[in-house]
Amino acid sequence: MRSAITQLLHKNSRLNHRQFAVLIDPDEVDIPALEKLVSIAKDGGVDYFFVGGSLVIGNFLDTTIKYLKQHTSIPVIIFPGSIQQVNPHADALLFLSLISGRNPELLIGNHVLAAPYVKKSGIEAISTGYILIDGGAPTTVSYISNTTPIPHDKNEIAVCTAMAGELLGMQTIYMDAGSGAKRFISAEMIAAVKKNIALPLIVGGGIKTPEAAYELSNAGADVIVVGNAIEKDTALIKEISFAIHSVSV
Ligand code: 1GP
């Protein structure tokens, strides 16, 4: 099983090199939009493309992944909302277990169904403890997953959940307020989680400005994920990337 991206995440986390992932929802792009994204992302020093979503309706996922692979050397990582989003052309796949929830299908059920396809495809699977945090309003992911996010101010629940993920052998933790969240995860919660685990920490949901990206990177997020805000304004890529990469710890 390949492990290049997992190793890269761990190395950058050890070295305190903050990283930036642009999340692409395949339902929201076409070829001209991808062309523009790729050209700005190359200039802007984007570290990863995440591709996927809780609900992907169209059939542009495969084209999106292939386009990104053909036109950039930026690693493409699938952030799957369902088994249907497993695709062998990406560099890696976040093999997510929704550990903040108590829905057995998203803790282990879907994984059993996906495992043979993932193994057969040879894609790098990054075991990821996925933790949903309340972002001020129900999001697609909280509705679709049928789980209750951890309350915004309950840092200790987030810390214990992340520690459990680490003890279970997961390779990274992804704390998410959900796409389009009204408020992003607090810097205090991120700092508390970071202090208690030695895994790369991915953070996303509702991050719309370079200031927010800086604050959360500075608090300990190894990878900042931005989707919605960039869909609305691609030019934000450069400013957010600059903010994240200017954090020195
Ligand atoms: C959602 O973490 C991602 O799962 C990104 O969220 O679209 O709000 O940036 P946004």
Side-chain angles (χ1 to χ4, degrees):
M1 192 62 103
R2 290 185 284 167
S3 64
I5 305 293
T6 310
Q7 285 178 26
L8 184 64
L9 284 164
H10 279 259
K11 183 176 149 212
N12 284 331
S13 170
R14 256 194 330 272
L15 296 172
N16 279 321
H17 288 167
R18 301 306 198 227
Q19 301 147 88
F20 177 31
V22 169
L23 173 64
I24 302 175
D25 178 344
D27 284 346
E28 300 295 332
V29 287
D30 52 16
I31 295 293
L34 285 174
E35 235 172 80
K36 192 172 167 197
L37 252 179
V38 161
S39 121
I40 301 180
K42 279 181 183 166
D43 278 358
V46 167
D47 297 284
Y48 307 101
F49 284 117
F50 282 10
V51 181
S54 316
L55 193 62
V56 172
I57 300 161
N59 55 1
F60 208 62
L61 181 102
D62 187 62
T63 310
T64 301
I65 293 171
K66 285 181 179 156
Y67 184 92
L68 295 172
K69 286 304 299 166
Q70 275 163 15
H71 294 87
T72 74
S73 55
I74 299 171
V76 178
I77 302 176
I78 301 172
F79 172 40
S82 69
I83 301 172
Q84 286 72 31
Q85 292 173 37
V86 175
N87 184 296
H89 304 291
D91 293 286
L93 163 91
L94 296 179
F95 202 65
L96 303 167
S97 181
L98 181 47
I99 58 175
S100 58
R102 300 296 178 264
N103 177 343
E105 294 310 320
L106 301 181
L107 278 164
I108 183 63
N110 282 349
H111 311 69
V112 173
L113 300 176
Y117 296 102
V118 173
K119 290 275 261 188
K120 196 168 161 205
S121 73
I123 194 170
E124 176 178 347
I126 306 172
S127 170
T128 301
Y130 187 53
I131 300 179
L132 278 182
I133 311 292
D134 188 87
T139 56
T140 308
V141 61
S142 61
Y143 179 81
I144 295 282
S145 69
N146 198 16
T147 65
T148 310
I150 294 174
H152 183 80
D153 58 348
K154 297 289 182 199
N155 297 357
E156 66 285 3
I157 303 180
V159 168
C160 295
T161 307
M163 290 197 304
E166 183 175 48
L167 290 170
L168 283 165
M170 287 163 176
Q171 294 156 324
T172 180
I173 296 292
Y174 189 156
M175 293 169 71
D176 198 351
S179 200
K182 284 197 173 149
R183 58 180 174 180
F184 49 82
I185 300 169
S186 75
E188 293 72 27
M189 183 182 274
I190 290 164
V193 168
K194 183 68 180 172
K195 214 167 86 188
N196 283 284
I197 59 166
L199 293 177
L201 182 59
I202 305 170
V203 174
I207 302 168
K208 299 188 183 84
T209 63
E211 292 75 20
Y214 182 90
E215 184 189 353
L216 303 191
S217 293
N218 199 38
D222 291 295
V223 182
I224 294 284
V225 186
V226 182
N228 249 279
I230 286 169
E231 266 166 30
K232 293 189 181 114
D233 179 9
T234 331
L236 266 178
I237 289 180
K238 279 193 188 169
E239 293 167 49
I240 293 181
S241 182
F242 181 78
I244 292 168
H245 294 118
S246 68
V247 170
S248 77
V249 190

Short mmCIF file of all heavy atoms in Angstrom, two decimals, residues 107-177:
data_model
loop_
_atom_site.label_atom_id
_atom_site.label_comp_id
_atom_site.label_asym_id
_atom_site.label_seq_id
_atom_site.Cartn_x
_atom_site.Cartn_y
_atom_site.Cartn_z
N LEU A 107 -18.92 4.85 10.89
CA LEU A 107 -17.77 4.48 11.73
C LEU A 107 -17.04 3.29 11.10
O LEU A 107 -15.82 3.24 11.11
CB LEU A 107 -18.24 4.09 13.14
CG LEU A 107 -18.49 5.24 14.09
CD1 LEU A 107 -19.31 4.79 15.30
CD2 LEU A 107 -17.17 5.86 14.56
N ILE A 108 -17.79 2.32 10.56
CA ILE A 108 -17.16 1.12 10.02
C ILE A 108 -17.93 0.47 8.86
O ILE A 108 -17.31 -0.16 7.99
CB ILE A 108 -16.89 0.07 11.16
CG1 ILE A 108 -16.15 -1.19 10.64
CG2 ILE A 108 -18.19 -0.33 11.86
CD1 ILE A 108 -14.79 -0.95 10.10
N GLY A 109 -19.24 0.67 8.80
CA GLY A 109 -20.07 -0.05 7.81
C GLY A 109 -19.64 0.20 6.37
O GLY A 109 -19.35 -0.74 5.61
N ASN A 110 -19.56 1.48 5.99
CA ASN A 110 -19.19 1.81 4.61
C ASN A 110 -17.76 1.38 4.30
O ASN A 110 -17.42 1.10 3.15
CB ASN A 110 -19.31 3.33 4.39
CG ASN A 110 -20.76 3.74 4.20
OD1 ASN A 110 -21.63 2.90 4.03
ND2 ASN A 110 -21.02 5.03 4.24
N HIS A 111 -16.94 1.34 5.33
CA HIS A 111 -15.53 0.98 5.14
C HIS A 111 -15.39 -0.48 4.72
O HIS A 111 -14.55 -0.83 3.90
CB HIS A 111 -14.75 1.25 6.43
CG HIS A 111 -15.03 2.62 6.97
ND1 HIS A 111 -16.26 2.95 7.50
CD2 HIS A 111 -14.28 3.73 7.03
CE1 HIS A 111 -16.25 4.21 7.87
NE2 HIS A 111 -15.05 4.71 7.59
N VAL A 112 -16.26 -1.31 5.30
CA VAL A 112 -16.24 -2.73 4.95
C VAL A 112 -16.60 -2.88 3.47
O VAL A 112 -15.97 -3.64 2.73
CB VAL A 112 -17.24 -3.51 5.86
CG1 VAL A 112 -17.37 -4.96 5.41
CG2 VAL A 112 -16.81 -3.42 7.32
N LEU A 113 -17.61 -2.11 3.05
CA LEU A 113 -18.03 -2.20 1.64
C LEU A 113 -16.97 -1.62 0.70
O LEU A 113 -16.76 -2.12 -0.40
CB LEU A 113 -19.35 -1.44 1.44
CG LEU A 113 -20.54 -1.95 2.28
CD1 LEU A 113 -21.76 -1.06 2.07
CD2 LEU A 113 -20.88 -3.39 1.92
N ALA A 114 -16.31 -0.57 1.14
CA ALA A 114 -15.33 0.11 0.27
C ALA A 114 -13.98 -0.60 0.23
O ALA A 114 -13.26 -0.48 -0.77
CB ALA A 114 -15.12 1.56 0.74
N ALA A 115 -13.65 -1.32 1.30
CA ALA A 115 -12.29 -1.87 1.43
C ALA A 115 -11.80 -2.64 0.20
O ALA A 115 -10.69 -2.37 -0.28
CB ALA A 115 -12.20 -2.73 2.69
N PRO A 116 -12.59 -3.58 -0.35
CA PRO A 116 -12.06 -4.32 -1.50
C PRO A 116 -11.75 -3.42 -2.71
O PRO A 116 -10.76 -3.64 -3.40
CB PRO A 116 -13.16 -5.33 -1.84
CG PRO A 116 -14.34 -4.97 -1.02
CD PRO A 116 -13.90 -4.09 0.09
N TYR A 117 -12.59 -2.40 -2.93
CA TYR A 117 -12.34 -1.49 -4.07
C TYR A 117 -11.09 -0.65 -3.83
O TYR A 117 -10.30 -0.43 -4.74
CB TYR A 117 -13.54 -0.55 -4.27
CG TYR A 117 -14.80 -1.29 -4.65
CD1 TYR A 117 -15.78 -1.53 -3.71
CD2 TYR A 117 -14.97 -1.77 -5.95
CE1 TYR A 117 -16.93 -2.23 -4.04
CE2 TYR A 117 -16.11 -2.48 -6.30
CZ TYR A 117 -17.09 -2.71 -5.34
OH TYR A 117 -18.21 -3.41 -5.67
N VAL A 118 -10.96 -0.19 -2.59
CA VAL A 118 -9.80 0.65 -2.27
C VAL A 118 -8.52 -0.17 -2.43
O VAL A 118 -7.56 0.27 -3.06
CB VAL A 118 -9.93 1.22 -0.83
CG1 VAL A 118 -8.66 1.94 -0.43
CG2 VAL A 118 -11.13 2.15 -0.74
N LYS A 119 -8.52 -1.38 -1.90
CA LYS A 119 -7.33 -2.23 -2.00
C LYS A 119 -7.01 -2.54 -3.46
O LYS A 119 -5.87 -2.44 -3.89
CB LYS A 119 -7.56 -3.57 -1.26
CG LYS A 119 -7.63 -3.45 0.24
CD LYS A 119 -6.26 -3.48 0.87
CE LYS A 119 -5.93 -4.84 1.41
NZ LYS A 119 -4.67 -4.80 2.20
N LYS A 120 -8.04 -2.88 -4.22
CA LYS A 120 -7.84 -3.27 -5.62
C LYS A 120 -7.31 -2.08 -6.43
O LYS A 120 -6.48 -2.24 -7.31
CB LYS A 120 -9.17 -3.75 -6.21
CG LYS A 120 -9.01 -4.52 -7.49
CD LYS A 120 -10.29 -5.22 -7.87
CE LYS A 120 -10.25 -5.57 -9.35
NZ LYS A 120 -11.56 -5.69 -9.92
N SER A 121 -7.78 -0.88 -6.12
CA SER A 121 -7.37 0.29 -6.90
C SER A 121 -5.91 0.65 -6.63
O SER A 121 -5.28 1.32 -7.42
CB SER A 121 -8.26 1.50 -6.54
OG SER A 121 -7.91 1.98 -5.26
N GLY A 122 -5.39 0.22 -5.48
CA GLY A 122 -3.99 0.53 -5.15
C GLY A 122 -3.80 1.95 -4.65
O GLY A 122 -2.68 2.38 -4.38
N ILE A 123 -4.89 2.70 -4.52
CA ILE A 123 -4.77 4.09 -4.08
C ILE A 123 -4.31 4.14 -2.62
O ILE A 123 -4.62 3.24 -1.83
CB ILE A 123 -6.13 4.84 -4.26
CG1 ILE A 123 -5.92 6.34 -4.14
CG2 ILE A 123 -7.19 4.34 -3.29
CD1 ILE A 123 -7.15 7.15 -4.54
N GLU A 124 -3.56 5.20 -2.30
CA GLU A 124 -3.12 5.37 -0.91
C GLU A 124 -4.32 5.77 -0.05
O GLU A 124 -4.97 6.78 -0.32
CB GLU A 124 -2.04 6.47 -0.85
CG GLU A 124 -1.60 6.78 0.57
CD GLU A 124 -0.49 7.82 0.62
OE1 GLU A 124 0.12 8.14 -0.43
OE2 GLU A 124 -0.24 8.32 1.74
N ALA A 125 -4.61 4.98 0.97
CA ALA A 125 -5.73 5.31 1.87
C ALA A 125 -5.16 5.87 3.16
O ALA A 125 -4.32 5.24 3.81
CB ALA A 125 -6.54 4.05 2.15
N ILE A 126 -5.58 7.06 3.51
CA ILE A 126 -5.06 7.71 4.73
C ILE A 126 -6.14 7.59 5.80
O ILE A 126 -7.19 8.23 5.73
CB ILE A 126 -4.74 9.20 4.46
CG1 ILE A 126 -3.80 9.34 3.26
CG2 ILE A 126 -4.18 9.86 5.70
CD1 ILE A 126 -3.57 10.78 2.80
N SER A 127 -5.87 6.76 6.79
CA SER A 127 -6.86 6.53 7.85
C SER A 127 -7.05 7.83 8.64
O SER A 127 -6.12 8.36 9.22
CB SER A 127 -6.35 5.41 8.75
OG SER A 127 -7.16 5.35 9.90
N THR A 128 -8.28 8.35 8.60
CA THR A 128 -8.54 9.69 9.13
C THR A 128 -9.69 9.68 10.13
O THR A 128 -10.80 9.22 9.81
CB THR A 128 -8.91 10.64 7.95
OG1 THR A 128 -7.82 10.66 7.02
CG2 THR A 128 -9.19 12.06 8.43
N GLY A 129 -9.43 10.17 11.32
CA GLY A 129 -10.49 10.35 12.31
C GLY A 129 -11.19 11.66 11.99
O GLY A 129 -10.61 12.74 12.12
N TYR A 130 -12.44 11.56 11.54
CA TYR A 130 -13.18 12.73 11.08
C TYR A 130 -14.10 13.21 12.20
O TYR A 130 -14.93 12.45 12.70
CB TYR A 130 -13.97 12.35 9.83
CG TYR A 130 -14.67 13.49 9.12
CD1 TYR A 130 -13.97 14.63 8.74
CD2 TYR A 130 -16.02 13.40 8.82
CE1 TYR A 130 -14.62 15.66 8.07
CE2 TYR A 130 -16.67 14.42 8.14
CZ TYR A 130 -15.96 15.55 7.77
OH TYR A 130 -16.59 16.57 7.11
N ILE A 131 -13.91 14.46 12.60
CA ILE A 131 -14.62 14.99 13.76
C ILE A 131 -15.43 16.21 13.33
O ILE A 131 -14.87 17.21 12.87
CB ILE A 131 -13.61 15.39 14.87
CG1 ILE A 131 -12.79 14.17 15.30
CG2 ILE A 131 -14.32 16.03 16.05
CD1 ILE A 131 -11.73 14.47 16.37
N LEU A 132 -16.75 16.12 13.50
CA LEU A 132 -17.61 17.26 13.14
C LEU A 132 -17.83 18.14 14.37
O LEU A 132 -18.15 17.64 15.45
CB LEU A 132 -18.97 16.76 12.66
CG LEU A 132 -19.09 16.31 11.22
CD1 LEU A 132 -20.54 15.90 10.94
CD2 LEU A 132 -18.67 17.43 10.27
N ILE A 133 -17.66 19.44 14.16
CA ILE A 133 -17.86 20.42 15.23
C ILE A 133 -19.01 21.34 14.81
O ILE A 133 -19.07 21.74 13.63
CB ILE A 133 -16.58 21.27 15.45
CG1 ILE A 133 -15.32 20.38 15.57
CG2 ILE A 133 -16.74 22.22 16.65
CD1 ILE A 133 -15.23 19.53 16.79
N ASP A 134 -19.84 21.70 15.74
CA ASP A 134 -20.98 22.56 15.41
C ASP A 134 -20.50 23.89 14.82
O ASP A 134 -19.66 24.57 15.41
CB ASP A 134 -21.81 22.81 16.67
CG ASP A 134 -23.09 23.54 16.32
OD1 ASP A 134 -24.06 22.86 15.98
OD2 ASP A 134 -23.09 24.78 16.34
N GLY A 135 -21.06 24.22 13.67
CA GLY A 135 -20.63 25.45 12.98
C GLY A 135 -21.71 26.52 12.98
O GLY A 135 -21.69 27.39 12.11
N GLY A 136 -22.65 26.42 13.90
CA GLY A 136 -23.65 27.49 14.03
C GLY A 136 -24.93 27.25 13.27
O GLY A 136 -25.89 28.01 13.43
N ALA A 137 -24.98 26.22 12.45
CA ALA A 137 -26.21 25.89 11.71
C ALA A 137 -26.05 24.49 11.15
O ALA A 137 -24.92 24.05 10.93
CB ALA A 137 -26.41 26.88 10.56
N PRO A 138 -27.17 23.79 10.92
CA PRO A 138 -27.02 22.46 10.32
C PRO A 138 -26.35 22.56 8.95
O PRO A 138 -26.64 23.48 8.19
CB PRO A 138 -28.48 21.98 10.17
CG PRO A 138 -29.29 22.85 11.07
CD PRO A 138 -28.56 24.17 11.16
N THR A 139 -25.43 21.64 8.66
CA THR A 139 -24.76 21.65 7.36
C THR A 139 -25.16 20.37 6.62
O THR A 139 -25.74 19.46 7.21
CB THR A 139 -23.22 21.67 7.53
OG1 THR A 139 -22.86 20.56 8.33
CG2 THR A 139 -22.73 22.96 8.16
N THR A 140 -24.81 20.33 5.34
CA THR A 140 -25.15 19.13 4.55
C THR A 140 -24.55 17.89 5.22
O THR A 140 -25.21 16.86 5.35
CB THR A 140 -24.58 19.25 3.12
OG1 THR A 140 -25.02 20.50 2.59
CG2 THR A 140 -25.04 18.12 2.23
N VAL A 141 -23.31 18.02 5.70
CA VAL A 141 -22.66 16.83 6.27
C VAL A 141 -23.35 16.37 7.54
O VAL A 141 -23.52 15.17 7.76
CB VAL A 141 -21.13 17.05 6.45
CG1 VAL A 141 -20.81 18.18 7.39
CG2 VAL A 141 -20.44 15.78 6.92
N SER A 142 -23.81 17.31 8.39
CA SER A 142 -24.48 16.86 9.62
C SER A 142 -25.82 16.21 9.28
O SER A 142 -26.22 15.21 9.87
CB SER A 142 -24.62 17.99 10.64
OG SER A 142 -25.40 19.05 10.12
N TYR A 143 -26.52 16.77 8.28
CA TYR A 143 -27.82 16.19 7.89
C TYR A 143 -27.62 14.81 7.26
O TYR A 143 -28.25 13.83 7.67
CB TYR A 143 -28.53 17.13 6.89
CG TYR A 143 -29.85 16.55 6.45
CD1 TYR A 143 -30.98 16.68 7.26
CD2 TYR A 143 -29.94 15.83 5.27
CE1 TYR A 143 -32.18 16.10 6.87
CE2 TYR A 143 -31.14 15.26 4.88
CZ TYR A 143 -32.26 15.40 5.68
OH TYR A 143 -33.44 14.82 5.30
N ILE A 144 -26.72 14.74 6.28
CA ILE A 144 -26.53 13.47 5.56
C ILE A 144 -25.97 12.38 6.48
O ILE A 144 -26.33 11.21 6.38
CB ILE A 144 -25.57 13.67 4.35
CG1 ILE A 144 -26.20 14.61 3.32
CG2 ILE A 144 -25.17 12.36 3.70
CD1 ILE A 144 -27.25 14.00 2.42
N SER A 145 -25.08 12.77 7.38
CA SER A 145 -24.44 11.75 8.23
C SER A 145 -25.35 11.33 9.39
O SER A 145 -25.07 10.34 10.06
CB SER A 145 -23.10 12.27 8.78
OG SER A 145 -23.32 13.32 9.71
N ASN A 146 -26.41 12.12 9.61
CA ASN A 146 -27.34 11.80 10.69
C ASN A 146 -26.60 11.69 12.03
O ASN A 146 -26.79 10.73 12.79
CB ASN A 146 -28.08 10.51 10.35
CG ASN A 146 -29.33 10.33 11.17
OD1 ASN A 146 -29.82 11.30 11.78
ND2 ASN A 146 -29.85 9.12 11.23
N THR A 147 -25.69 12.63 12.27
CA THR A 147 -24.95 12.63 13.54
C THR A 147 -25.01 14.02 14.15
O THR A 147 -25.27 15.01 13.47
CB THR A 147 -23.47 12.25 13.35
OG1 THR A 147 -22.81 13.25 12.55
CG2 THR A 147 -23.29 10.89 12.70
N THR A 148 -24.74 14.06 15.45
CA THR A 148 -24.74 15.33 16.17
C THR A 148 -23.30 15.82 16.27
O THR A 148 -22.44 15.12 16.80
CB THR A 148 -25.26 15.13 17.61
OG1 THR A 148 -26.49 14.42 17.51
CG2 THR A 148 -25.46 16.45 18.33
N PRO A 149 -23.02 17.02 15.75
CA PRO A 149 -21.65 17.53 15.87
C PRO A 149 -21.31 17.85 17.33
O PRO A 149 -22.20 18.08 18.15
CB PRO A 149 -21.68 18.83 15.05
CG PRO A 149 -22.99 18.87 14.35
CD PRO A 149 -23.92 17.96 15.06
N ILE A 150 -20.04 17.88 17.63
CA ILE A 150 -19.59 18.27 18.98
C ILE A 150 -19.88 19.77 19.15
O ILE A 150 -19.59 20.56 18.26
CB ILE A 150 -18.07 17.99 19.13
CG1 ILE A 150 -17.82 16.47 19.07
CG2 ILE A 150 -17.52 18.59 20.43
CD1 ILE A 150 -16.36 16.07 19.07
N PRO A 151 -20.47 20.17 20.30
CA PRO A 151 -20.74 21.61 20.48
C PRO A 151 -19.47 22.45 20.35
O PRO A 151 -18.37 22.00 20.71
CB PRO A 151 -21.30 21.66 21.91
CG PRO A 151 -21.88 20.29 22.14
CD PRO A 151 -20.98 19.34 21.40
N HIS A 152 -19.67 23.65 19.81
CA HIS A 152 -18.58 24.56 19.47
C HIS A 152 -17.62 24.83 20.65
O HIS A 152 -16.42 25.02 20.46
CB HIS A 152 -19.20 25.88 19.00
CG HIS A 152 -18.23 26.92 18.55
ND1 HIS A 152 -17.65 26.90 17.31
CD2 HIS A 152 -17.73 28.02 19.20
CE1 HIS A 152 -16.84 27.94 17.19
NE2 HIS A 152 -16.88 28.63 18.31
N ASP A 153 -18.18 24.85 21.88
CA ASP A 153 -17.36 25.24 23.03
C ASP A 153 -16.93 24.05 23.90
O ASP A 153 -16.39 24.23 24.98
CB ASP A 153 -18.11 26.27 23.89
CG ASP A 153 -19.45 25.73 24.38
OD1 ASP A 153 -19.88 24.66 23.89
OD2 ASP A 153 -20.05 26.36 25.26
N LYS A 154 -17.18 22.84 23.44
CA LYS A 154 -16.83 21.67 24.27
C LYS A 154 -15.46 21.13 23.84
O LYS A 154 -15.33 20.05 23.24
CB LYS A 154 -17.90 20.58 24.15
CG LYS A 154 -19.26 21.00 24.67
CD LYS A 154 -19.25 21.12 26.19
CE LYS A 154 -20.62 21.50 26.72
NZ LYS A 154 -20.58 22.04 28.08
N ASN A 155 -14.44 21.91 24.19
CA ASN A 155 -13.09 21.54 23.76
C ASN A 155 -12.67 20.16 24.25
O ASN A 155 -11.99 19.41 23.55
CB ASN A 155 -12.08 22.58 24.26
CG ASN A 155 -12.33 23.94 23.66
OD1 ASN A 155 -13.22 24.10 22.84
ND2 ASN A 155 -11.56 24.93 24.07
N GLU A 156 -13.10 19.84 25.48
CA GLU A 156 -12.63 18.58 26.06
C GLU A 156 -13.21 17.37 25.30
O GLU A 156 -12.55 16.34 25.20
CB GLU A 156 -12.91 18.52 27.57
CG GLU A 156 -14.37 18.49 28.01
CD GLU A 156 -15.12 19.83 27.91
OE1 GLU A 156 -14.53 20.83 27.44
OE2 GLU A 156 -16.31 19.85 28.27
N ILE A 157 -14.41 17.52 24.77
CA ILE A 157 -14.96 16.38 23.99
C ILE A 157 -14.15 16.21 22.71
O ILE A 157 -13.80 15.09 22.32
CB ILE A 157 -16.46 16.59 23.64
CG1 ILE A 157 -17.29 16.81 24.91
CG2 ILE A 157 -16.99 15.41 22.85
CD1 ILE A 157 -18.78 17.03 24.64
N ALA A 158 -13.81 17.32 22.08
CA ALA A 158 -13.01 17.25 20.84
C ALA A 158 -11.64 16.64 21.14
O ALA A 158 -11.15 15.78 20.39
CB ALA A 158 -12.86 18.64 20.24
N VAL A 159 -11.03 17.05 22.25
CA VAL A 159 -9.71 16.53 22.62
C VAL A 159 -9.78 15.01 22.84
O VAL A 159 -8.98 14.25 22.29
CB VAL A 159 -9.17 17.23 23.90
CG1 VAL A 159 -7.96 16.49 24.45
CG2 VAL A 159 -8.83 18.68 23.60
N CYS A 160 -10.76 14.57 23.63
CA CYS A 160 -10.86 13.13 23.94
C CYS A 160 -11.17 12.32 22.67
O CYS A 160 -10.66 11.21 22.49
CB CYS A 160 -11.92 12.86 25.00
SG CYS A 160 -11.48 13.60 26.59
N THR A 161 -11.98 12.89 21.79
CA THR A 161 -12.32 12.19 20.54
C THR A 161 -11.08 12.04 19.66
O THR A 161 -10.80 10.97 19.11
CB THR A 161 -13.44 12.96 19.78
OG1 THR A 161 -14.54 13.17 20.66
CG2 THR A 161 -13.91 12.19 18.56
N ALA A 162 -10.30 13.12 19.55
CA ALA A 162 -9.08 13.07 18.75
C ALA A 162 -8.07 12.09 19.36
O ALA A 162 -7.41 11.33 18.64
CB ALA A 162 -8.46 14.47 18.63
N MET A 163 -7.98 12.09 20.70
CA MET A 163 -7.05 11.16 21.35
C MET A 163 -7.47 9.72 21.08
O MET A 163 -6.64 8.85 20.84
CB MET A 163 -7.00 11.42 22.86
CG MET A 163 -6.33 12.73 23.22
SD MET A 163 -5.82 12.88 24.95
CE MET A 163 -7.31 12.60 25.82
N ALA A 164 -8.78 9.47 21.09
CA ALA A 164 -9.27 8.11 20.82
C ALA A 164 -8.90 7.71 19.39
O ALA A 164 -8.46 6.58 19.15
CB ALA A 164 -10.78 8.05 21.01
N GLY A 165 -9.03 8.66 18.45
CA GLY A 165 -8.65 8.37 17.05
C GLY A 165 -7.18 8.01 16.97
O GLY A 165 -6.79 7.05 16.28
N GLU A 166 -6.36 8.75 17.68
CA GLU A 166 -4.92 8.48 17.67
C GLU A 166 -4.63 7.09 18.26
O GLU A 166 -3.86 6.30 17.70
CB GLU A 166 -4.18 9.56 18.47
CG GLU A 166 -2.67 9.38 18.45
CD GLU A 166 -1.96 10.53 19.15
OE1 GLU A 166 -2.37 10.89 20.28
OE2 GLU A 166 -1.00 11.07 18.59
N LEU A 167 -5.28 6.79 19.38
CA LEU A 167 -5.04 5.49 20.03
C LEU A 167 -5.55 4.33 19.17
O LEU A 167 -5.03 3.22 19.27
CB LEU A 167 -5.71 5.46 21.41
CG LEU A 167 -5.06 6.35 22.47
CD1 LEU A 167 -5.93 6.43 23.72
CD2 LEU A 167 -3.66 5.84 22.83
N LEU A 168 -6.53 4.59 18.34
CA LEU A 168 -7.03 3.55 17.44
C LEU A 168 -6.13 3.36 16.23
O LEU A 168 -6.38 2.52 15.38
CB LEU A 168 -8.46 3.89 16.98
CG LEU A 168 -9.56 3.63 18.01
CD1 LEU A 168 -10.85 4.32 17.59
CD2 LEU A 168 -9.81 2.13 18.16
N GLY A 169 -5.09 4.19 16.12
CA GLY A 169 -4.11 4.01 15.04
C GLY A 169 -4.37 4.84 13.80
O GLY A 169 -3.77 4.60 12.76
N MET A 170 -5.30 5.82 13.91
CA MET A 170 -5.55 6.66 12.73
C MET A 170 -4.33 7.52 12.43
O MET A 170 -3.55 7.83 13.33
CB MET A 170 -6.80 7.50 12.97
CG MET A 170 -8.02 6.62 12.90
SD MET A 170 -9.47 7.33 13.60
CE MET A 170 -10.64 6.03 13.19
N GLN A 171 -4.19 7.89 11.15
CA GLN A 171 -2.95 8.58 10.74
C GLN A 171 -3.09 10.09 10.72
O GLN A 171 -2.11 10.81 10.62
CB GLN A 171 -2.53 8.07 9.37
CG GLN A 171 -2.12 6.61 9.40
CD GLN A 171 -2.26 5.96 8.04
OE1 GLN A 171 -3.17 6.25 7.27
NE2 GLN A 171 -1.35 5.06 7.74
N THR A 172 -4.32 10.56 10.74
CA THR A 172 -4.54 11.99 10.77
C THR A 172 -5.92 12.27 11.37
O THR A 172 -6.78 11.38 11.42
CB THR A 172 -4.37 12.61 9.36
OG1 THR A 172 -4.58 14.01 9.43
CG2 THR A 172 -5.33 12.03 8.36
N ILE A 173 -6.11 13.50 11.85
CA ILE A 173 -7.41 13.91 12.39
C ILE A 173 -7.90 15.10 11.56
O ILE A 173 -7.13 16.03 11.28
CB ILE A 173 -7.28 14.34 13.88
CG1 ILE A 173 -6.85 13.17 14.77
CG2 ILE A 173 -8.58 14.98 14.38
CD1 ILE A 173 -7.87 12.05 14.95
N TYR A 174 -9.17 15.04 11.15
CA TYR A 174 -9.77 16.13 10.37
C TYR A 174 -10.92 16.70 11.20
O TYR A 174 -11.92 16.02 11.44
CB TYR A 174 -10.29 15.56 9.05
CG TYR A 174 -10.76 16.56 8.00
CD1 TYR A 174 -10.76 16.20 6.66
CD2 TYR A 174 -11.21 17.84 8.32
CE1 TYR A 174 -11.19 17.08 5.66
CE2 TYR A 174 -11.64 18.73 7.33
CZ TYR A 174 -11.64 18.35 6.01
OH TYR A 174 -12.06 19.21 5.05
N MET A 175 -10.76 17.93 11.66
CA MET A 175 -11.83 18.62 12.40
C MET A 175 -12.56 19.53 11.42
O MET A 175 -11.94 20.41 10.82
CB MET A 175 -11.24 19.44 13.55
CG MET A 175 -10.61 18.59 14.64
SD MET A 175 -9.65 19.60 15.80
CE MET A 175 -10.97 20.47 16.66
N ASP A 176 -13.87 19.34 11.31
CA ASP A 176 -14.63 20.04 10.26
C ASP A 176 -15.90 20.66 10.85
O ASP A 176 -16.66 19.97 11.54
CB ASP A 176 -14.99 19.03 9.16
CG ASP A 176 -15.38 19.68 7.85
OD1 ASP A 176 -15.54 20.92 7.81
OD2 ASP A 176 -15.54 18.95 6.86
N ALA A 177 -16.11 21.93 10.56
CA ALA A 177 -17.37 22.57 10.94
C ALA A 177 -18.41 22.38 9.84
O ALA A 177 -19.56 22.81 9.99
CB ALA A 177 -17.14 24.05 11.22
#
